[in-house]
PDB file of all heavy atoms in Angstrom:
ATOM      1  N   VAL A 102      -5.282  11.232  -5.333  1.00  0.00           N
ATOM      2  CA  VAL A 102      -4.780  10.900  -6.687  1.00  0.00           C
ATOM      3  C   VAL A 102      -5.440  11.749  -7.768  1.00  0.00           C
ATOM      4  O   VAL A 102      -4.919  11.828  -8.894  1.00  0.00           O
ATOM      5  CB  VAL A 102      -4.986   9.409  -7.011  1.00  0.00           C
ATOM      6  CG1 VAL A 102      -4.019   8.594  -6.223  1.00  0.00           C
ATOM      7  CG2 VAL A 102      -6.391   8.992  -6.900  1.00  0.00           C
ATOM      8  N   LEU A 103      -6.542  12.398  -7.410  1.00  0.00           N
ATOM      9  CA  LEU A 103      -7.297  13.273  -8.363  1.00  0.00           C
ATOM     10  C   LEU A 103      -7.455  14.586  -7.640  1.00  0.00           C
ATOM     11  O   LEU A 103      -7.974  14.684  -6.556  1.00  0.00           O
ATOM     12  CB  LEU A 103      -8.622  12.582  -8.683  1.00  0.00           C
ATOM     13  CG  LEU A 103      -9.543  13.385  -9.620  1.00  0.00           C
ATOM     14  CD1 LEU A 103      -8.885  13.463 -11.027  1.00  0.00           C
ATOM     15  CD2 LEU A 103     -10.895  12.667  -9.736  1.00  0.00           C
ATOM     16  N   THR A 104      -6.992  15.681  -8.318  1.00  0.00           N
ATOM     17  CA  THR A 104      -7.058  16.994  -7.708  1.00  0.00           C
ATOM     18  C   THR A 104      -7.456  18.051  -8.725  1.00  0.00           C
ATOM     19  O   THR A 104      -7.333  17.854  -9.931  1.00  0.00           O
ATOM     20  CB  THR A 104      -5.674  17.427  -7.143  1.00  0.00           C
ATOM     21  OG1 THR A 104      -4.714  17.409  -8.181  1.00  0.00           O
ATOM     22  CG2 THR A 104      -5.243  16.504  -6.020  1.00  0.00           C
ATOM     23  N   GLY A 105      -8.032  19.177  -8.235  1.00  0.00           N
ATOM     24  CA  GLY A 105      -8.291  20.306  -9.029  1.00  0.00           C
ATOM     25  C   GLY A 105      -9.382  20.230 -10.074  1.00  0.00           C
ATOM     26  O   GLY A 105      -9.508  21.088 -10.951  1.00  0.00           O
ATOM     27  N   LEU A 106     -10.239  19.213 -10.024  1.00  0.00           N
ATOM     28  CA  LEU A 106     -11.292  18.989 -11.035  1.00  0.00           C
ATOM     29  C   LEU A 106     -12.441  19.981 -10.822  1.00  0.00           C
ATOM     30  O   LEU A 106     -12.925  20.122  -9.702  1.00  0.00           O
ATOM     31  CB  LEU A 106     -11.802  17.574 -10.918  1.00  0.00           C
ATOM     32  CG  LEU A 106     -12.343  16.926 -12.174  1.00  0.00           C
ATOM     33  CD1 LEU A 106     -11.363  16.924 -13.337  1.00  0.00           C
ATOM     34  CD2 LEU A 106     -12.770  15.515 -11.873  1.00  0.00           C
ATOM     35  N   LYS A 107     -12.851  20.669 -11.936  1.00  0.00           N
ATOM     36  CA  LYS A 107     -13.925  21.625 -11.845  1.00  0.00           C
ATOM     37  C   LYS A 107     -15.090  21.254 -12.816  1.00  0.00           C
ATOM     38  O   LYS A 107     -14.816  20.820 -13.951  1.00  0.00           O
ATOM     39  CB  LYS A 107     -13.366  22.996 -12.255  1.00  0.00           C
ATOM     40  CG  LYS A 107     -12.311  23.507 -11.331  1.00  0.00           C
ATOM     41  CD  LYS A 107     -11.718  24.788 -11.782  1.00  0.00           C
ATOM     42  CE  LYS A 107     -10.579  25.195 -10.883  1.00  0.00           C
ATOM     43  NZ  LYS A 107      -9.876  26.368 -11.406  1.00  0.00           N
ATOM     44  N   HIS A 108     -16.263  21.478 -12.368  1.00  0.00           N
ATOM     45  CA  HIS A 108     -17.486  21.186 -13.180  1.00  0.00           C
ATOM     46  C   HIS A 108     -17.617  22.180 -14.296  1.00  0.00           C
ATOM     47  O   HIS A 108     -17.376  23.392 -14.111  1.00  0.00           O
ATOM     48  CB  HIS A 108     -18.728  21.229 -12.255  1.00  0.00           C
ATOM     49  CG  HIS A 108     -19.951  20.928 -12.998  1.00  0.00           C
ATOM     50  ND1 HIS A 108     -20.994  21.783 -13.165  1.00  0.00           N
ATOM     51  CD2 HIS A 108     -20.382  19.761 -13.617  1.00  0.00           C
ATOM     52  CE1 HIS A 108     -21.963  21.242 -13.861  1.00  0.00           C
ATOM     53  NE2 HIS A 108     -21.621  19.998 -14.133  1.00  0.00           N
ATOM     54  N   VAL A 109     -17.924  21.662 -15.502  1.00  0.00           N
ATOM     55  CA  VAL A 109     -18.238  22.535 -16.665  1.00  0.00           C
ATOM     56  C   VAL A 109     -19.752  22.823 -16.539  1.00  0.00           C
ATOM     57  O   VAL A 109     -20.535  21.890 -16.594  1.00  0.00           O
ATOM     58  CB  VAL A 109     -17.901  21.839 -17.963  1.00  0.00           C
ATOM     59  CG1 VAL A 109     -18.282  22.708 -19.131  1.00  0.00           C
ATOM     60  CG2 VAL A 109     -16.401  21.481 -18.039  1.00  0.00           C
ATOM     61  N   PRO A 110     -20.134  24.102 -16.435  1.00  0.00           N
ATOM     62  CA  PRO A 110     -21.544  24.429 -16.243  1.00  0.00           C
ATOM     63  C   PRO A 110     -22.441  23.816 -17.384  1.00  0.00           C
ATOM     64  O   PRO A 110     -22.014  23.685 -18.537  1.00  0.00           O
ATOM     65  CB  PRO A 110     -21.608  25.933 -16.326  1.00  0.00           C
ATOM     66  CG  PRO A 110     -20.239  26.376 -15.941  1.00  0.00           C
ATOM     67  CD  PRO A 110     -19.326  25.282 -16.402  1.00  0.00           C
ATOM     68  N   ASP A 111     -23.663  23.467 -16.987  1.00  0.00           N
ATOM     69  CA  ASP A 111     -24.701  22.915 -17.870  1.00  0.00           C
ATOM     70  C   ASP A 111     -24.250  21.690 -18.590  1.00  0.00           C
ATOM     71  O   ASP A 111     -24.544  21.452 -19.784  1.00  0.00           O
ATOM     72  CB  ASP A 111     -25.128  24.014 -18.897  1.00  0.00           C
ATOM     73  CG  ASP A 111     -25.657  25.246 -18.219  1.00  0.00           C
ATOM     74  OD1 ASP A 111     -26.404  25.113 -17.217  1.00  0.00           O
ATOM     75  OD2 ASP A 111     -25.363  26.345 -18.669  1.00  0.00           O
ATOM     76  N   SER A 112     -23.468  20.783 -17.952  1.00  0.00           N
ATOM     77  CA  SER A 112     -23.020  19.555 -18.578  1.00  0.00           C
ATOM     78  C   SER A 112     -22.716  18.555 -17.458  1.00  0.00           C
ATOM     79  O   SER A 112     -22.757  18.882 -16.297  1.00  0.00           O
ATOM     80  CB  SER A 112     -21.738  19.829 -19.392  1.00  0.00           C
ATOM     81  OG  SER A 112     -20.616  19.981 -18.552  1.00  0.00           O
ATOM     82  N   ASN A 113     -22.348  17.379 -17.888  1.00  0.00           N
ATOM     83  CA  ASN A 113     -21.869  16.339 -16.958  1.00  0.00           C
ATOM     84  C   ASN A 113     -20.376  16.162 -17.152  1.00  0.00           C
ATOM     85  O   ASN A 113     -19.860  15.044 -16.920  1.00  0.00           O
ATOM     86  CB  ASN A 113     -22.603  15.031 -17.235  1.00  0.00           C
ATOM     87  CG  ASN A 113     -23.964  14.982 -16.632  1.00  0.00           C
ATOM     88  OD1 ASN A 113     -24.349  15.810 -15.825  1.00  0.00           O
ATOM     89  ND2 ASN A 113     -24.786  14.022 -17.004  1.00  0.00           N
ATOM     90  N   ASN A 114     -19.725  17.183 -17.528  1.00  0.00           N
ATOM     91  CA  ASN A 114     -18.263  17.172 -17.752  1.00  0.00           C
ATOM     92  C   ASN A 114     -17.521  17.988 -16.683  1.00  0.00           C
ATOM     93  O   ASN A 114     -18.044  18.928 -16.128  1.00  0.00           O
ATOM     94  CB  ASN A 114     -17.958  17.811 -19.075  1.00  0.00           C
ATOM     95  CG  ASN A 114     -18.517  16.977 -20.211  1.00  0.00           C
ATOM     96  OD1 ASN A 114     -18.475  15.787 -20.245  1.00  0.00           O
ATOM     97  ND2 ASN A 114     -19.047  17.668 -21.230  1.00  0.00           N
ATOM     98  N   TYR A 115     -16.305  17.483 -16.374  1.00  0.00           N
ATOM     99  CA  TYR A 115     -15.442  18.130 -15.429  1.00  0.00           C
ATOM    100  C   TYR A 115     -14.061  18.222 -16.059  1.00  0.00           C
ATOM    101  O   TYR A 115     -13.664  17.325 -16.822  1.00  0.00           O
ATOM    102  CB  TYR A 115     -15.352  17.279 -14.159  1.00  0.00           C
ATOM    103  CG  TYR A 115     -16.692  17.099 -13.434  1.00  0.00           C
ATOM    104  CD1 TYR A 115     -17.595  16.200 -13.995  1.00  0.00           C
ATOM    105  CD2 TYR A 115     -17.026  17.853 -12.356  1.00  0.00           C
ATOM    106  CE1 TYR A 115     -18.792  16.012 -13.348  1.00  0.00           C
ATOM    107  CE2 TYR A 115     -18.255  17.712 -11.773  1.00  0.00           C
ATOM    108  CZ  TYR A 115     -19.148  16.827 -12.274  1.00  0.00           C
ATOM    109  OH  TYR A 115     -20.369  16.646 -11.676  1.00  0.00           O
TER     110      TYR A 115
END
Side-chain angles (χ1 to χ4, degrees):
V102 291
L103 180 64
T104 58
L106 206 58
K107 298 176 186 174
H108 182 244
V109 176
D111 301 319
S112 75
N113 282 347
N114 297 317
Y115 300 78

